[in-house]
Amino acid sequence: MRLPPAILANAEEVLREILRFAAPADTTLSRYFKDHPRLGGRERGAIAESVYNVLRNKNFYTDFSEQGGGATMRRLTLLGMADAVGLESLGGVSAEEAEWVTRIMGIDRTLMHKSSRSNMPKWLFDKLVAQMGEEETLALADGMNQPAPLDLRVNALKDNREDVIAKLAEAPIKAEPTPYAPLGLRILTKPALQNLPLFKDGHIEVQDEGSQILSALVAAKRGEMVVDFCAGAGGKTLSLGATMRNTGRLYAFDVSEKRLTKLKPRLARSGLSNVHPVVIAHERDAKIKRLAGKIDRVLVDAPCSGLGTLRRNPDVKWRQKPDAIGELQVKQAAILDGAARLVKGGGRLVYATCSVLDDENEFIASQFLATHPDFELVPMSKALAEQKIELEMGDYLKLLPHKHQTDGFFAAVFERKPMPKKAREEDEA
């Protein structure tokens, strides 16, 4: 059944607003759908996918949509929609437009200039080429340009992976075990999970496999004091709480009360009672100082460029600016320094980002080690082996979509050397 011609107009309208890059694409789409309640599920899906296709392929689409007759925005929308649902599913497309779309979609992109083929802004392409070489950058760009699957984490307090796979199959939803995370499941479709009893009762949570691996690196144990320093909406917090078997004390710190509020319904579903959400003003908040030198394990999932999440948020590469990276570095270093004060002697500190830039990753980790002689690096190969996660890594975790089928993630694991009394007193001051 064909989509009505008006859907193209809807998609064009919201795409025009999104390409101003004044707000995240998912926020703009949500508001648009709220303002247009008559759009059905199929129509919303088509519009959303067409928008994300344009954002993923913006360089390529723009090069050709500016050629020939007709409005550029109409042509962009046609390419995005045809890629999303197929040209034959679109109503209101003229024969001339159909011929043009078919011709453009048949172009061999490998013959294009490499910078255009990457569908990245030039500054980002050049930075990644300097970091990893042209061939690897293009492979990464191709991986980032694919839609992400839906990854789930099984709540080990309530269920096990094999039983959840069987229960999902009854829905019917096909789920496969993720290759690395021991509680992860991967779904290639996009079902309405929120309607499933498994979801409502807290047996499963949405969490990318890479994020699950970051949580595992904390190596939280029963009865410990643990801090998720930049908890956000709490995906990793929930994972840590389950690993601790709902014992000990788990603090979820964040500067945003709004983000922590989103954690509350997830906490209620999870069955966890050892989590304590705390709003902080900054990384030197008095609430943090009171815990200095007392925490067994701290996870710092630092604010970053988000350039590892382009499969899910392709607009980030167009909204992010090169001069913002330097500002983020200052923030990342300050947060990591503040979080380090919490860690007791012999305790663990994990620094993580969802970025693929060395500037936010290795640079921050090496800078931290140079300025914090009381910490030492735990090689990632050792940290992963402890968790029985079969991934070949060197000193750091570097997950990439074209290699590991996860979002782009980085992590470094540090441990604090046993503290003499004087150092403990200085930390607590």
Side-chain angles (χ1 to χ4, degrees), residues 79-101:
L79 288 171
M81 191 68 84
D83 209 359
V85 300
L87 189 59
E88 66 284 353
S89 297
L90 296 178
V93 179
S94 69
E96 182 186 359
E97 287 176 326
E99 187 277 327
W100 176 81
V101 169

PDB file of all heavy atoms in Angstrom, residues 79-101:
ATOM      1  N   LEU A  79      14.929  11.653  -1.986  1.00  0.00           N
ATOM      2  CA  LEU A  79      16.028  10.695  -1.862  1.00  0.00           C
ATOM      3  C   LEU A  79      15.971   9.978  -0.510  1.00  0.00           C
ATOM      4  O   LEU A  79      16.125   8.757  -0.441  1.00  0.00           O
ATOM      5  CB  LEU A  79      17.378  11.418  -2.018  1.00  0.00           C
ATOM      6  CG  LEU A  79      17.714  11.895  -3.429  1.00  0.00           C
ATOM      7  CD1 LEU A  79      18.961  12.779  -3.412  1.00  0.00           C
ATOM      8  CD2 LEU A  79      17.933  10.707  -4.368  1.00  0.00           C
ATOM      9  N   GLY A  80      15.734  10.736   0.538  1.00  0.00           N
ATOM     10  CA  GLY A  80      15.660  10.145   1.877  1.00  0.00           C
ATOM     11  C   GLY A  80      14.495   9.188   2.013  1.00  0.00           C
ATOM     12  O   GLY A  80      14.631   8.093   2.583  1.00  0.00           O
ATOM     13  N   MET A  81      13.342   9.559   1.460  1.00  0.00           N
ATOM     14  CA  MET A  81      12.145   8.729   1.569  1.00  0.00           C
ATOM     15  C   MET A  81      12.253   7.473   0.704  1.00  0.00           C
ATOM     16  O   MET A  81      11.856   6.377   1.121  1.00  0.00           O
ATOM     17  CB  MET A  81      10.916   9.557   1.170  1.00  0.00           C
ATOM     18  CG  MET A  81       9.593   8.916   1.490  1.00  0.00           C
ATOM     19  SD  MET A  81       9.252   8.776   3.267  1.00  0.00           S
ATOM     20  CE  MET A  81       8.582  10.391   3.641  1.00  0.00           C
ATOM     21  N   ALA A  82      12.801   7.621  -0.500  1.00  0.00           N
ATOM     22  CA  ALA A  82      12.959   6.460  -1.392  1.00  0.00           C
ATOM     23  C   ALA A  82      13.912   5.449  -0.766  1.00  0.00           C
ATOM     24  O   ALA A  82      13.703   4.232  -0.862  1.00  0.00           O
ATOM     25  CB  ALA A  82      13.477   6.914  -2.747  1.00  0.00           C
ATOM     26  N   ASP A  83      14.951   5.949  -0.102  1.00  0.00           N
ATOM     27  CA  ASP A  83      15.910   5.071   0.576  1.00  0.00           C
ATOM     28  C   ASP A  83      15.264   4.371   1.771  1.00  0.00           C
ATOM     29  O   ASP A  83      15.611   3.250   2.112  1.00  0.00           O
ATOM     30  CB  ASP A  83      17.109   5.916   1.053  1.00  0.00           C
ATOM     31  CG  ASP A  83      18.395   5.104   1.102  1.00  0.00           C
ATOM     32  OD1 ASP A  83      18.353   3.907   0.789  1.00  0.00           O
ATOM     33  OD2 ASP A  83      19.439   5.668   1.466  1.00  0.00           O
ATOM     34  N   ALA A  84      14.298   5.059   2.401  1.00  0.00           N
ATOM     35  CA  ALA A  84      13.663   4.517   3.617  1.00  0.00           C
ATOM     36  C   ALA A  84      12.609   3.465   3.305  1.00  0.00           C
ATOM     37  O   ALA A  84      12.571   2.404   3.950  1.00  0.00           O
ATOM     38  CB  ALA A  84      13.040   5.655   4.429  1.00  0.00           C
ATOM     39  N   VAL A  85      11.741   3.746   2.354  1.00  0.00           N
ATOM     40  CA  VAL A  85      10.583   2.863   2.135  1.00  0.00           C
ATOM     41  C   VAL A  85      10.490   2.302   0.719  1.00  0.00           C
ATOM     42  O   VAL A  85       9.623   1.467   0.438  1.00  0.00           O
ATOM     43  CB  VAL A  85       9.263   3.600   2.475  1.00  0.00           C
ATOM     44  CG1 VAL A  85       9.248   4.040   3.926  1.00  0.00           C
ATOM     45  CG2 VAL A  85       9.037   4.791   1.551  1.00  0.00           C
ATOM     46  N   GLY A  86      11.362   2.760  -0.179  1.00  0.00           N
ATOM     47  CA  GLY A  86      11.291   2.309  -1.571  1.00  0.00           C
ATOM     48  C   GLY A  86      10.444   3.252  -2.402  1.00  0.00           C
ATOM     49  O   GLY A  86       9.380   3.709  -1.955  1.00  0.00           O
ATOM     50  N   LEU A  87      10.906   3.548  -3.593  1.00  0.00           N
ATOM     51  CA  LEU A  87      10.223   4.506  -4.476  1.00  0.00           C
ATOM     52  C   LEU A  87       8.795   4.071  -4.791  1.00  0.00           C
ATOM     53  O   LEU A  87       7.876   4.896  -4.877  1.00  0.00           O
ATOM     54  CB  LEU A  87      11.043   4.658  -5.765  1.00  0.00           C
ATOM     55  CG  LEU A  87      10.639   5.761  -6.734  1.00  0.00           C
ATOM     56  CD1 LEU A  87      10.712   7.127  -6.071  1.00  0.00           C
ATOM     57  CD2 LEU A  87      11.550   5.730  -7.968  1.00  0.00           C
ATOM     58  N   GLU A  88       8.591   2.767  -4.920  1.00  0.00           N
ATOM     59  CA  GLU A  88       7.259   2.248  -5.297  1.00  0.00           C
ATOM     60  C   GLU A  88       6.219   2.472  -4.201  1.00  0.00           C
ATOM     61  O   GLU A  88       5.010   2.399  -4.465  1.00  0.00           O
ATOM     62  CB  GLU A  88       7.346   0.750  -5.635  1.00  0.00           C
ATOM     63  CG  GLU A  88       7.696  -0.168  -4.472  1.00  0.00           C
ATOM     64  CD  GLU A  88       9.163  -0.151  -4.074  1.00  0.00           C
ATOM     65  OE1 GLU A  88       9.970   0.490  -4.789  1.00  0.00           O
ATOM     66  OE2 GLU A  88       9.504  -0.761  -3.043  1.00  0.00           O
ATOM     67  N   SER A  89       6.664   2.767  -2.969  1.00  0.00           N
ATOM     68  CA  SER A  89       5.724   2.990  -1.860  1.00  0.00           C
ATOM     69  C   SER A  89       5.280   4.444  -1.735  1.00  0.00           C
ATOM     70  O   SER A  89       4.463   4.767  -0.880  1.00  0.00           O
ATOM     71  CB  SER A  89       6.370   2.561  -0.531  1.00  0.00           C
ATOM     72  OG  SER A  89       6.654   1.180  -0.551  1.00  0.00           O
ATOM     73  N   LEU A  90       5.830   5.310  -2.573  1.00  0.00           N
ATOM     74  CA  LEU A  90       5.543   6.743  -2.446  1.00  0.00           C
ATOM     75  C   LEU A  90       4.454   7.186  -3.412  1.00  0.00           C
ATOM     76  O   LEU A  90       4.546   6.935  -4.622  1.00  0.00           O
ATOM     77  CB  LEU A  90       6.810   7.562  -2.718  1.00  0.00           C
ATOM     78  CG  LEU A  90       7.974   7.368  -1.749  1.00  0.00           C
ATOM     79  CD1 LEU A  90       9.170   8.216  -2.171  1.00  0.00           C
ATOM     80  CD2 LEU A  90       7.552   7.742  -0.338  1.00  0.00           C
ATOM     81  N   GLY A  91       3.455   7.856  -2.867  1.00  0.00           N
ATOM     82  CA  GLY A  91       2.428   8.464  -3.705  1.00  0.00           C
ATOM     83  C   GLY A  91       2.807   9.896  -4.048  1.00  0.00           C
ATOM     84  O   GLY A  91       3.576  10.532  -3.328  1.00  0.00           O
ATOM     85  N   GLY A  92       2.297  10.414  -5.163  1.00  0.00           N
ATOM     86  CA  GLY A  92       2.512  11.821  -5.514  1.00  0.00           C
ATOM     87  C   GLY A  92       3.866  12.118  -6.121  1.00  0.00           C
ATOM     88  O   GLY A  92       4.317  13.270  -6.119  1.00  0.00           O
ATOM     89  N   VAL A  93       4.555  11.086  -6.655  1.00  0.00           N
ATOM     90  CA  VAL A  93       5.869  11.293  -7.275  1.00  0.00           C
ATOM     91  C   VAL A  93       5.690  11.270  -8.798  1.00  0.00           C
ATOM     92  O   VAL A  93       5.129  10.317  -9.355  1.00  0.00           O
ATOM     93  CB  VAL A  93       6.866  10.189  -6.852  1.00  0.00           C
ATOM     94  CG1 VAL A  93       8.230  10.403  -7.522  1.00  0.00           C
ATOM     95  CG2 VAL A  93       7.010  10.161  -5.341  1.00  0.00           C
ATOM     96  N   SER A  94       6.164  12.316  -9.470  1.00  0.00           N
ATOM     97  CA  SER A  94       6.014  12.388 -10.927  1.00  0.00           C
ATOM     98  C   SER A  94       6.971  11.412 -11.607  1.00  0.00           C
ATOM     99  O   SER A  94       7.940  10.941 -11.002  1.00  0.00           O
ATOM    100  CB  SER A  94       6.311  13.815 -11.409  1.00  0.00           C
ATOM    101  OG  SER A  94       7.698  14.110 -11.262  1.00  0.00           O
ATOM    102  N   ALA A  95       6.700  11.136 -12.880  1.00  0.00           N
ATOM    103  CA  ALA A  95       7.559  10.220 -13.651  1.00  0.00           C
ATOM    104  C   ALA A  95       8.977  10.781 -13.747  1.00  0.00           C
ATOM    105  O   ALA A  95       9.962  10.033 -13.666  1.00  0.00           O
ATOM    106  CB  ALA A  95       6.964  10.001 -15.045  1.00  0.00           C
ATOM    107  N   GLU A  96       9.075  12.093 -13.912  1.00  0.00           N
ATOM    108  CA  GLU A  96      10.395  12.738 -14.024  1.00  0.00           C
ATOM    109  C   GLU A  96      11.171  12.591 -12.705  1.00  0.00           C
ATOM    110  O   GLU A  96      12.360  12.279 -12.696  1.00  0.00           O
ATOM    111  CB  GLU A  96      10.218  14.227 -14.360  1.00  0.00           C
ATOM    112  CG  GLU A  96      11.539  14.966 -14.538  1.00  0.00           C
ATOM    113  CD  GLU A  96      11.345  16.464 -14.719  1.00  0.00           C
ATOM    114  OE1 GLU A  96      10.172  16.924 -14.722  1.00  0.00           O
ATOM    115  OE2 GLU A  96      12.362  17.173 -14.815  1.00  0.00           O
ATOM    116  N   GLU A  97      10.467  12.802 -11.596  1.00  0.00           N
ATOM    117  CA  GLU A  97      11.108  12.661 -10.287  1.00  0.00           C
ATOM    118  C   GLU A  97      11.548  11.219 -10.040  1.00  0.00           C
ATOM    119  O   GLU A  97      12.644  10.967  -9.532  1.00  0.00           O
ATOM    120  CB  GLU A  97      10.155  13.104  -9.170  1.00  0.00           C
ATOM    121  CG  GLU A  97       9.953  14.604  -9.090  1.00  0.00           C
ATOM    122  CD  GLU A  97       8.927  14.998  -8.034  1.00  0.00           C
ATOM    123  OE1 GLU A  97       7.954  14.237  -7.829  1.00  0.00           O
ATOM    124  OE2 GLU A  97       9.103  16.078  -7.410  1.00  0.00           O
ATOM    125  N   ALA A  98      10.688  10.277 -10.409  1.00  0.00           N
ATOM    126  CA  ALA A  98      11.006   8.861 -10.215  1.00  0.00           C
ATOM    127  C   ALA A  98      12.250   8.469 -11.011  1.00  0.00           C
ATOM    128  O   ALA A  98      13.123   7.739 -10.505  1.00  0.00           O
ATOM    129  CB  ALA A  98       9.818   7.995 -10.624  1.00  0.00           C
ATOM    130  N   GLU A  99      12.342   8.965 -12.248  1.00  0.00           N
ATOM    131  CA  GLU A  99      13.511   8.672 -13.098  1.00  0.00           C
ATOM    132  C   GLU A  99      14.777   9.256 -12.472  1.00  0.00           C
ATOM    133  O   GLU A  99      15.826   8.603 -12.441  1.00  0.00           O
ATOM    134  CB  GLU A  99      13.257   9.250 -14.496  1.00  0.00           C
ATOM    135  CG  GLU A  99      14.318   8.885 -15.539  1.00  0.00           C
ATOM    136  CD  GLU A  99      15.540   9.802 -15.491  1.00  0.00           C
ATOM    137  OE1 GLU A  99      15.391  11.010 -15.166  1.00  0.00           O
ATOM    138  OE2 GLU A  99      16.659   9.290 -15.761  1.00  0.00           O
ATOM    139  N   TRP A 100      14.672  10.471 -11.955  1.00  0.00           N
ATOM    140  CA  TRP A 100      15.827  11.145 -11.345  1.00  0.00           C
ATOM    141  C   TRP A 100      16.290  10.396 -10.086  1.00  0.00           C
ATOM    142  O   TRP A 100      17.480  10.143  -9.903  1.00  0.00           O
ATOM    143  CB  TRP A 100      15.447  12.595 -11.010  1.00  0.00           C
ATOM    144  CG  TRP A 100      16.532  13.352 -10.295  1.00  0.00           C
ATOM    145  CD1 TRP A 100      17.623  13.941 -10.863  1.00  0.00           C
ATOM    146  CD2 TRP A 100      16.627  13.584  -8.884  1.00  0.00           C
ATOM    147  NE1 TRP A 100      18.397  14.526  -9.887  1.00  0.00           N
ATOM    148  CE2 TRP A 100      17.809  14.324  -8.676  1.00  0.00           C
ATOM    149  CE3 TRP A 100      15.832  13.243  -7.799  1.00  0.00           C
ATOM    150  CZ2 TRP A 100      18.216  14.738  -7.396  1.00  0.00           C
ATOM    151  CZ3 TRP A 100      16.233  13.651  -6.529  1.00  0.00           C
ATOM    152  CH2 TRP A 100      17.404  14.383  -6.336  1.00  0.00           C
ATOM    153  N   VAL A 101      15.345  10.026  -9.219  1.00  0.00           N
ATOM    154  CA  VAL A 101      15.694   9.303  -7.987  1.00  0.00           C
ATOM    155  C   VAL A 101      16.363   7.974  -8.319  1.00  0.00           C
ATOM    156  O   VAL A 101      17.396   7.618  -7.734  1.00  0.00           O
ATOM    157  CB  VAL A 101      14.436   9.067  -7.108  1.00  0.00           C
ATOM    158  CG1 VAL A 101      14.748   8.086  -5.981  1.00  0.00           C
ATOM    159  CG2 VAL A 101      13.936  10.382  -6.525  1.00  0.00           C
TER     160      VAL A 101
END
